[in-house]
Amino acid sequence: MLMGTPCDKFLMTPGLRAGWFYTPDREVVRQTMAHFPHDPSFITDELVDELVDDYRATAGEVEALAQWPRALAALEAVR
């Protein structure tokens, strides 16, 4: 399975952007999740709570990953 675009430019969709820049707030997580499933009933309170808890448990790792798109955007702005 290919996840993403290999070495090429691509349009960052609202769903992908939301996934990169969300915070561990229940409503923000729910809004971010709404971009992806075809059936919104998959987004349960239990799933949202689990994702928020996971995010908080790995906050340092998530923050480090979140810096990549900001850094790439800054590089693009310089060109």
Side-chain angles (χ1 to χ4, degrees):
M1 175 189 314
L2 178 61
M3 299 286 293
T5 304
C7 303
D8 199 4
K9 292 184 180 183
F10 67 97
L11 175 67
M12 185 173 276
T13 65
L16 291 174
R17 186 171 307 283
W20 276 107
F21 296 110
Y22 84 99
T23 57
D25 174 84
R26 291 186 88 248
E27 190 55 36
V28 174
V29 170
R30 184 176 292 283
Q31 291 171 358
T32 299
M33 292 286 298
H35 289 281
F36 298 102
H38 291 286
D39 181 355
S41 70
F42 286 114
I43 305 171
T44 63
D45 289 339
E46 293 80 16
L47 177 61
V48 171
D49 289 341
E50 185 174 330
L51 291 170
V52 170
D53 291 345
D54 287 350
Y55 183 98
R56 289 182 178 150
T58 59
E61 296 164 22
V62 172
E63 182 58 33
L65 285 174
Q67 297 305 314
W68 279 100
R70 292 182 187 116
L72 293 174
L75 288 173
E76 285 295 320
V78 174
R79 288 185 183 189

XYZ file of all heavy atoms in Angstrom:
627
model
N 0.838 -1.155 0.000
C 0.000 0.000 0.000
C 0.893 1.231 0.000
O 1.841 1.319 0.761
C -0.901 -0.006 1.233
C -1.712 1.245 1.325
S -2.631 1.501 2.872
C -3.391 -0.039 3.164
N 0.589 2.166 -0.840
C 1.323 3.421 -0.901
C 0.592 4.465 -0.080
O -0.597 4.689 -0.278
C 1.439 3.878 -2.360
C 2.152 5.202 -2.594
C 3.593 5.113 -2.103
C 2.108 5.549 -4.063
N 1.295 5.061 0.859
C 0.695 6.087 1.703
C 1.370 7.417 1.409
O 2.418 7.713 1.940
C 0.888 5.737 3.181
C 0.266 4.448 3.609
S -1.511 4.540 3.747
C -1.698 5.657 5.101
N 0.814 8.184 0.518
C 1.379 9.488 0.213
C 1.977 9.524 -1.175
O 1.884 8.573 -1.942
N 2.574 10.648 -1.489
C 3.150 10.860 -2.807
C 4.657 10.701 -2.731
O 5.308 11.399 -1.970
C 2.806 12.278 -3.308
O 1.394 12.411 -3.275
C 3.297 12.506 -4.705
N 5.240 9.788 -3.508
C 6.689 9.587 -3.441
C 7.442 10.665 -4.225
O 7.355 10.728 -5.445
C 6.879 8.202 -4.060
C 5.733 8.060 -5.012
C 4.596 8.834 -4.411
N 8.120 11.523 -3.524
C 9.059 12.477 -4.120
C 8.429 13.367 -5.191
O 9.028 13.596 -6.235
C 10.256 11.738 -4.695
S 11.119 10.732 -3.486
N 7.272 13.874 -4.956
C 6.655 14.774 -5.921
C 5.761 15.747 -5.172
O 5.396 15.531 -4.029
C 5.837 13.981 -6.951
C 5.570 14.788 -8.213
O 6.067 15.924 -8.322
O 4.864 14.269 -9.088
N 5.388 16.822 -5.829
C 4.471 17.773 -5.219
C 3.055 17.214 -5.283
O 2.715 16.457 -6.183
C 4.528 19.098 -5.963
C 5.839 19.813 -5.785
C 5.813 21.155 -6.458
C 7.157 21.834 -6.253
N 7.191 23.160 -6.815
N 2.248 17.582 -4.315
C 0.862 17.153 -4.295
C 0.035 18.176 -3.533
O 0.557 18.948 -2.742
C 0.707 15.765 -3.664
C 1.036 15.716 -2.199
C 0.027 15.797 -1.248
C 2.339 15.581 -1.769
C 0.313 15.749 0.099
C 2.644 15.537 -0.424
C 1.625 15.618 0.509
N -1.233 18.177 -3.822
C -2.157 19.059 -3.135
C -2.461 18.502 -1.758
O -2.846 17.336 -1.628
C -3.458 19.172 -3.942
C -4.574 19.972 -3.302
C -4.173 21.448 -3.209
C -5.850 19.828 -4.122
N -2.255 19.315 -0.736
C -2.596 18.878 0.611
C -4.085 19.145 0.811
O -4.519 20.287 0.837
C -1.773 19.591 1.680
C -2.053 19.050 3.065
S -0.998 19.702 4.358
C 0.425 18.644 4.192
N -4.844 18.092 0.910
C -6.289 18.199 1.065
C -6.644 18.710 2.460
O -5.811 18.656 3.375
C -6.950 16.832 0.850
O -6.504 15.956 1.893
C -6.610 16.248 -0.516
N -7.871 19.180 2.645
C -8.276 19.607 3.991
C -8.119 18.500 5.032
O -7.739 18.770 6.172
C -9.745 20.000 3.812
C -9.862 20.404 2.377
C -8.915 19.474 1.646
N -8.396 17.264 4.652
C -8.237 16.153 5.595
C -6.801 15.935 6.011
O -6.504 15.733 7.190
N -5.884 15.981 5.047
C -4.463 15.817 5.387
C -3.964 16.981 6.228
O -3.234 16.797 7.195
C -3.626 15.699 4.109
C -3.818 14.420 3.305
C -3.035 14.497 1.996
C -3.394 13.211 4.106
N -4.368 18.186 5.873
C -3.950 19.365 6.643
C -4.472 19.267 8.079
O -3.749 19.553 9.031
C -4.447 20.633 5.972
C -3.928 21.898 6.627
C -4.249 23.130 5.824
N -3.827 23.065 4.436
C -2.582 23.230 3.997
N -1.607 23.451 4.852
N -2.302 23.169 2.709
N -5.714 18.869 8.228
C -6.292 18.730 9.570
C -5.536 17.678 10.382
O -5.335 17.847 11.579
C -7.771 18.362 9.470
N -5.110 16.614 9.716
C -4.353 15.567 10.401
C -2.995 16.032 10.885
O -2.499 15.569 11.911
N -2.379 16.962 10.187
C -1.062 17.451 10.587
C -1.140 18.469 11.707
O -0.254 18.570 12.533
C -0.346 18.097 9.402
C 0.366 17.117 8.539
C -0.010 16.716 7.294
C 1.565 16.412 8.839
N 0.875 15.796 6.811
C 1.863 15.598 7.735
C 2.416 16.384 9.935
C 2.975 14.771 7.703
C 3.522 15.558 9.900
C 3.780 14.771 8.783
N -2.194 19.268 11.710
C -2.194 20.430 12.595
C -3.229 20.376 13.714
O -3.530 21.384 14.302
C -2.407 21.705 11.767
C -1.291 21.958 10.802
C -1.500 21.827 9.447
C -0.029 22.293 11.253
C -0.465 22.049 8.550
C 1.013 22.506 10.365
C 0.785 22.390 9.013
N -3.742 19.200 14.035
C -4.754 19.178 15.083
C -4.127 19.142 16.463
O -2.959 18.853 16.640
C -5.734 18.027 14.862
C -5.304 16.678 15.389
C -5.791 16.227 16.598
C -4.435 15.867 14.682
C -5.436 14.989 17.092
C -4.067 14.625 15.169
C -4.569 14.201 16.368
O -4.213 12.981 16.850
N -4.941 19.480 17.461
C -4.520 19.471 18.856
C -5.377 18.454 19.612
O -6.437 18.068 19.133
C -4.705 20.868 19.491
O -6.067 21.249 19.340
C -3.802 21.893 18.825
N -4.946 18.035 20.798
C -5.664 16.977 21.509
C -6.935 17.465 22.216
O -7.139 17.249 23.393
C -4.633 16.450 22.504
C -3.800 17.631 22.797
C -3.724 18.377 21.497
N -7.771 18.141 21.512
C -9.053 18.587 22.017
C -10.129 17.675 21.424
O -10.090 17.374 20.228
C -9.267 20.049 21.589
C -10.629 20.550 21.942
O -10.812 20.974 23.093
O -11.513 20.523 21.060
N -11.067 17.239 22.236
C -12.072 16.265 21.759
C -12.782 16.743 20.495
O -12.963 15.977 19.560
C -13.099 15.979 22.857
C -12.519 15.207 24.016
C -13.584 14.813 25.029
N -14.150 13.534 24.619
C -15.390 13.377 24.193
N -16.218 14.370 24.126
N -15.817 12.184 23.823
N -13.218 17.992 20.454
C -13.974 18.472 19.298
C -13.085 18.583 18.056
O -13.506 18.263 16.952
C -14.639 19.815 19.602
C -15.624 20.242 18.544
C -16.710 19.191 18.255
O -17.158 18.491 19.183
O -17.110 19.073 17.079
N -11.846 19.016 18.236
C -10.914 19.118 17.103
C -10.612 17.730 16.544
O -10.575 17.529 15.317
C -9.618 19.849 17.510
C -8.593 19.825 16.397
C -9.929 21.283 17.914
N -10.413 16.758 17.427
C -10.164 15.385 16.983
C -11.380 14.868 16.208
O -11.250 14.272 15.141
C -9.826 14.461 18.176
C -9.809 12.997 17.754
C -8.486 14.862 18.778
N -12.566 15.123 16.722
C -13.780 14.678 16.045
C -13.902 15.332 14.665
O -14.223 14.667 13.678
C -15.007 15.004 16.896
C -16.302 14.481 16.315
C -17.462 14.740 17.239
N -17.410 13.970 18.462
C -17.726 12.689 18.560
N -18.114 12.023 17.504
N -17.653 12.071 19.715
N -13.620 16.625 14.565
C -13.683 17.321 13.270
C -12.641 16.776 12.295
O -12.916 16.615 11.105
C -13.475 18.823 13.466
C -14.613 19.506 14.165
C -14.276 20.938 14.546
O -13.176 21.427 14.317
N -15.233 21.617 15.162
N -11.446 16.496 12.793
C -10.393 15.932 11.948
C -10.799 14.558 11.444
O -10.658 14.247 10.255
C -9.069 15.846 12.729
O -8.698 17.169 13.126
C -7.962 15.251 11.883
N -11.325 13.740 12.329
C -11.753 12.395 11.940
C -12.869 12.437 10.896
O -12.962 11.551 10.054
C -12.246 11.626 13.166
C -11.163 11.284 14.160
S -10.117 9.958 13.574
C -11.298 8.633 13.433
N -13.699 13.451 10.925
C -14.835 13.548 10.007
C -14.401 13.630 8.543
O -15.197 13.355 7.649
C -15.701 14.752 10.370
N -13.138 13.976 8.274
C -12.644 14.057 6.896
C -12.451 12.678 6.266
O -12.398 12.579 5.045
C -11.293 14.784 6.847
C -11.394 16.246 7.113
N -11.806 17.147 6.164
C -11.132 16.967 8.235
C -11.789 18.356 6.672
N -11.384 18.279 7.927
N -12.332 11.619 7.053
C -11.841 10.364 6.515
C -12.848 9.228 6.300
O -12.841 8.645 5.232
C -10.647 9.881 7.351
C -9.505 10.857 7.296
C -9.260 11.732 8.339
C -8.695 10.935 6.175
C -8.223 12.655 8.269
C -7.655 11.847 6.094
C -7.432 12.713 7.154
N -13.687 8.851 7.245
C -14.529 7.677 6.996
C -15.730 7.986 6.094
O -16.234 9.107 6.083
C -14.996 7.273 8.389
C -15.010 8.542 9.158
C -13.859 9.363 8.592
N -16.149 6.980 5.353
C -17.359 7.127 4.548
C -18.593 7.076 5.430
O -19.618 7.644 5.096
C -17.438 6.008 3.497
C -16.389 6.140 2.443
N -16.447 7.089 1.457
C -15.241 5.458 2.232
C -15.387 6.979 0.677
N -14.639 6.001 1.131
N -18.488 6.381 6.542
C -19.617 6.237 7.461
C -19.274 6.959 8.763
O -18.468 6.470 9.556
C -19.878 4.754 7.717
C -21.051 4.508 8.648
O -21.611 5.489 9.186
O -21.395 3.336 8.836
N -19.860 8.123 8.999
C -19.515 8.890 10.198
C -19.861 8.199 11.516
O -19.384 8.607 12.565
C -20.298 10.191 10.047
C -21.235 10.009 8.923
C -20.824 8.798 8.153
N -20.656 7.130 11.467
C -20.983 6.431 12.711
C -19.761 5.728 13.308
O -19.778 5.327 14.470
C -22.115 5.421 12.495
O -21.671 4.332 11.710
N -18.694 5.596 12.518
C -17.444 5.021 13.040
C -16.778 5.942 14.054
O -15.950 5.501 14.843
C -16.455 4.718 11.916
C -16.821 3.512 11.100
C -17.173 3.654 9.774
C -16.820 2.251 11.654
C -17.512 2.559 9.010
C -17.152 1.141 10.906
C -17.511 1.292 9.574
N -17.101 7.219 14.009
C -16.485 8.186 14.920
C -17.316 8.224 16.203
O -18.251 8.988 16.343
C -16.406 9.578 14.282
C -15.684 9.520 12.950
C -15.689 10.547 15.232
C -15.759 10.804 12.153
N -16.953 7.375 17.131
C -17.670 7.272 18.403
C -16.962 8.086 19.479
O -15.788 8.457 19.327
C -17.744 5.810 18.856
O -16.402 5.348 19.092
C -18.437 4.936 17.816
N -17.668 8.337 20.570
C -17.044 9.031 21.701
C -15.851 8.236 22.225
O -14.824 8.817 22.600
C -18.051 9.243 22.832
C -19.101 10.286 22.484
O -18.850 11.122 21.585
O -20.167 10.271 23.121
N -15.969 6.914 22.239
C -14.879 6.066 22.728
C -13.640 6.187 21.841
O -12.515 6.265 22.339
C -15.325 4.597 22.795
C -16.377 4.321 23.834
C -17.798 4.709 23.386
O -18.033 4.925 22.165
O -18.668 4.818 24.259
N -13.848 6.219 20.518
C -12.719 6.374 19.599
C -12.055 7.728 19.791
O -10.824 7.823 19.854
C -13.177 6.209 18.147
C -12.104 6.425 17.084
C -10.959 5.428 17.249
C -12.713 6.327 15.695
N -12.843 8.776 19.875
C -12.293 10.121 20.085
C -11.504 10.171 21.386
O -10.380 10.683 21.425
C -13.417 11.180 20.062
C -12.886 12.539 20.499
C -14.035 11.268 18.669
N -12.061 9.625 22.470
C -11.356 9.613 23.762
C -10.035 8.862 23.663
O -9.014 9.306 24.203
C -12.224 8.984 24.852
C -13.392 9.871 25.246
O -13.349 11.088 24.964
O -14.358 9.335 25.829
N -10.050 7.726 22.977
C -8.822 6.939 22.825
C -7.759 7.718 22.046
O -6.579 7.730 22.414
C -9.123 5.626 22.120
C -7.928 4.707 22.045
C -8.284 3.345 21.460
O -9.429 2.896 21.631
O -7.387 2.753 20.854
N -8.170 8.392 20.984
C -7.215 9.170 20.194
C -6.656 10.342 20.988
O -5.456 10.636 20.913
C -7.874 9.665 18.905
C -8.203 8.573 17.895
C -9.057 9.132 16.774
C -6.927 7.962 17.353
N -7.500 11.014 21.751
C -7.028 12.123 22.584
C -6.042 11.609 23.627
O -4.975 12.205 23.834
C -8.216 12.854 23.248
C -7.733 13.843 24.303
C -9.047 13.589 22.198
N -6.355 10.496 24.264
C -5.448 9.911 25.263
C -4.121 9.500 24.629
O -3.052 9.743 25.200
C -6.090 8.702 25.946
C -7.250 9.084 26.858
O -7.380 10.291 27.185
O -8.037 8.184 27.218
N -4.170 8.876 23.448
C -2.947 8.475 22.747
C -2.109 9.695 22.381
O -0.889 9.684 22.508
C -3.268 7.681 21.482
C -3.757 6.280 21.773
O -3.677 5.854 22.950
O -4.231 5.619 20.839
N -2.770 10.728 21.903
C -2.058 11.954 21.526
C -1.329 12.528 22.737
O -0.161 12.874 22.660
C -3.051 12.979 20.973
C -2.407 14.253 20.492
C -2.132 14.437 19.145
C -2.066 15.275 21.373
C -1.548 15.604 18.687
C -1.480 16.443 20.934
C -1.219 16.603 19.586
O -0.635 17.759 19.135
N -2.019 12.611 23.843
C -1.403 13.178 25.055
C -0.243 12.316 25.545
O 0.744 12.831 26.055
C -2.450 13.347 26.134
C -3.406 14.474 25.801
C -4.434 14.703 26.864
N -5.271 15.842 26.484
C -6.530 15.976 26.822
N -7.108 15.064 27.567
N -7.213 17.029 26.433
N -0.335 11.009 25.369
C 0.723 10.104 25.809
C 1.978 10.236 24.954
O 3.084 9.945 25.412
C 0.225 8.664 25.793
N 1.821 10.673 23.697
C 2.963 10.764 22.781
C 3.157 12.200 22.281
O 3.630 12.418 21.173
C 2.751 9.842 21.571
O 1.553 10.232 20.895
C 2.672 8.389 21.987
N 2.811 13.173 23.102
C 2.813 14.581 22.681
C 4.152 15.024 22.093
O 4.191 15.742 21.094
C 2.424 15.485 23.846
N 5.259 14.626 22.663
C 6.570 15.036 22.146
C 6.834 14.498 20.752
O 7.338 15.210 19.882
N 6.464 13.266 20.521
C 6.655 12.661 19.196
C 5.752 13.325 18.168
O 6.171 13.615 17.046
C 6.351 11.165 19.251
C 7.302 10.400 20.145
C 6.764 9.020 20.484
O 5.913 8.510 19.750
O 7.215 8.466 21.493
N 4.515 13.581 18.545
C 3.567 14.213 17.628
C 4.022 15.619 17.281
O 3.971 16.036 16.128
C 2.146 14.220 18.237
C 1.188 15.036 17.394
C 1.640 12.801 18.398
N 4.491 16.358 18.254
C 4.954 17.722 18.006
C 6.152 17.732 17.060
O 6.255 18.576 16.185
C 5.308 18.423 19.321
C 5.745 19.868 19.146
C 4.718 20.751 18.451
O 3.505 20.523 18.617
O 5.134 21.668 17.720
N 7.057 16.782 17.224
C 8.214 16.702 16.323
C 7.764 16.442 14.885
O 8.265 17.067 13.946
C 9.163 15.594 16.790
N 6.807 15.539 14.699
C 6.291 15.273 13.354
C 5.557 16.479 12.786
O 5.611 16.746 11.586
C 5.353 14.066 13.381
C 6.014 12.709 13.515
C 4.953 11.630 13.688
C 6.874 12.411 12.296
N 4.869 17.209 13.636
C 4.098 18.369 13.176
C 4.997 19.474 12.632
O 4.545 20.328 11.875
C 3.231 18.904 14.311
N 6.273 19.472 12.994
C 7.192 20.515 12.517
C 7.542 20.337 11.045
O 7.903 21.289 10.370
C 8.474 20.521 13.360
C 8.238 20.850 14.811
C 7.514 22.162 15.008
O 7.837 23.164 14.397
N 6.503 22.149 15.856
N 7.463 19.128 10.512
C 7.851 18.885 9.120
C 7.077 19.719 8.117
O 7.686 20.391 7.287
C 7.752 17.400 8.786
C 8.948 16.652 9.274
C 9.039 15.911 10.400
C 10.237 16.622 8.671
N 10.308 15.411 10.537
C 11.062 15.825 9.481
C 10.768 17.193 7.517
C 12.390 15.585 9.175
C 12.098 16.946 7.218
C 12.885 16.159 8.045
N 5.733 19.712 8.124
C 5.038 20.505 7.100
C 5.285 21.999 7.247
O 5.357 22.719 6.250
C 3.568 20.160 7.290
C 3.464 19.397 8.536
C 4.828 18.912 8.911
N 5.447 22.477 8.479
C 5.748 23.903 8.676
C 7.118 24.239 8.093
O 7.304 25.271 7.454
C 5.687 24.248 10.158
C 4.293 24.179 10.724
C 4.252 24.581 12.194
N 2.932 24.348 12.725
C 2.643 23.486 13.676
N 3.585 22.772 14.240
N 1.415 23.328 14.100
N 8.082 23.354 8.306
C 9.422 23.576 7.767
C 9.408 23.542 6.237
O 10.039 24.363 5.581
C 10.391 22.535 8.316
N 8.683 22.596 5.676
C 8.590 22.508 4.216
C 7.899 23.734 3.639
O 8.315 24.254 2.604
C 7.846 21.235 3.808
C 8.571 19.928 4.123
C 7.674 18.745 3.801
C 9.883 19.831 3.354
N 6.854 24.220 4.287
C 6.151 25.421 3.823
C 7.083 26.629 3.860
O 7.077 27.467 2.946
C 4.905 25.658 4.656
N 7.906 26.710 4.895
C 8.844 27.838 4.994
C 9.866 27.773 3.859
O 10.228 28.797 3.283
C 9.545 27.810 6.359
N 10.333 26.579 3.534
C 11.276 26.425 2.429
C 10.635 26.828 1.102
O 11.256 27.481 0.262
C 11.775 24.992 2.350
C 12.744 24.567 3.447
C 13.030 23.078 3.334
C 14.031 25.363 3.367
N 9.389 26.437 0.902
C 8.674 26.784 -0.335
C 8.506 28.289 -0.445
O 8.587 28.860 -1.532
C 7.315 26.094 -0.386
C 7.411 24.617 -0.692
C 7.952 24.344 -2.091
O 7.570 25.062 -3.032
O 8.757 23.428 -2.233
N 8.266 28.967 0.682
C 8.062 30.408 0.672
C 9.335 31.158 0.272
O 9.259 32.236 -0.312
C 7.582 30.876 2.045
N 10.485 30.564 0.541
C 11.768 31.194 0.217
C 12.081 31.096 -1.263
O 12.717 31.967 -1.835
C 12.900 30.552 1.059
C 14.262 31.074 0.637
C 12.662 30.815 2.532
N 11.590 30.052 -1.911
C 11.894 29.836 -3.332
C 11.396 30.916 -4.207
O 10.574 31.589 -4.283
C 11.323 28.516 -3.808
C 12.091 27.356 -3.259
C 11.564 26.098 -3.870
N 12.233 24.962 -3.299
C 12.094 23.760 -3.761
N 11.322 23.504 -4.761
N 12.725 22.762 -3.203
